[in-house]
Amino acid sequence: MQEKKTTPEKEAALKSLREQFKGADADTQARRTLEGLRKFPLTTFELMRGLDVYHAPARIRDLREAGHNIITMRQTVTTEAGVKHNVGLYVLVQEAGPQEQAA
């Protein structure tokens, strides 16, 4: 698998979203996740570190249950300690329609 690193531009965009959507509750974390996915595919690590979403699979599940079509691919990333991990890479394929989001 090809190893990817978060670009400085992407890190800055994620920081901006984190500051725009403050809060630790699940709904706010899901909102940050969706806003991030509207801009980029995001890895589990990027969601954790960049958007302060500490259980990314649960927030992705919440968004899927709300009707958003999000696929999961695998990607290898290297931690700050130099350890490689195979993590989820989430891609927003299609957003939920208005009827689905209201449910």
Side-chain angles (χ1 to χ4, degrees), residues 1 6 12 17 19 27 31 34 37 43 45 47 49 51 57 64 69 79 82 91-92 98 103:
M1 287 189 186
T6 305
L17 286 174
E19 291 171 356
D27 288 341
R31 178 66 187 218
L34 180 59
L37 288 172
T43 67
F45 279 9
L47 285 163
R49 293 184 173 111
L51 290 180
R64 286 177 175 149
N69 183 0
T79 65
V91 180
L92 178 63

Side-chain angles (χ1 to χ4, degrees), residues 78-98:
T78 303
T79 65
E80 293 83 356
V83 178
K84 292 184 180 186
H85 290 271
N86 186 19
V87 299
L89 173 68
Y90 303 102
V91 180
L92 178 63
V93 176
Q94 184 174 2
E95 291 192 46

Side-chain angles (χ1 to χ4, degrees), residues 5-19 40 42 46 49-51 80:
K5 294 191 180 218
T6 305
T7 65
E9 295 82 13
K10 190 174 187 180
E11 286 179 1
L14 296 178
K15 179 181 178 185
S16 176
L17 286 174
R18 188 177 66 237
E19 291 171 356
F40 319 95
L42 296 169
E46 290 169 332
R49 293 184 173 111
L51 290 180
E80 293 83 356

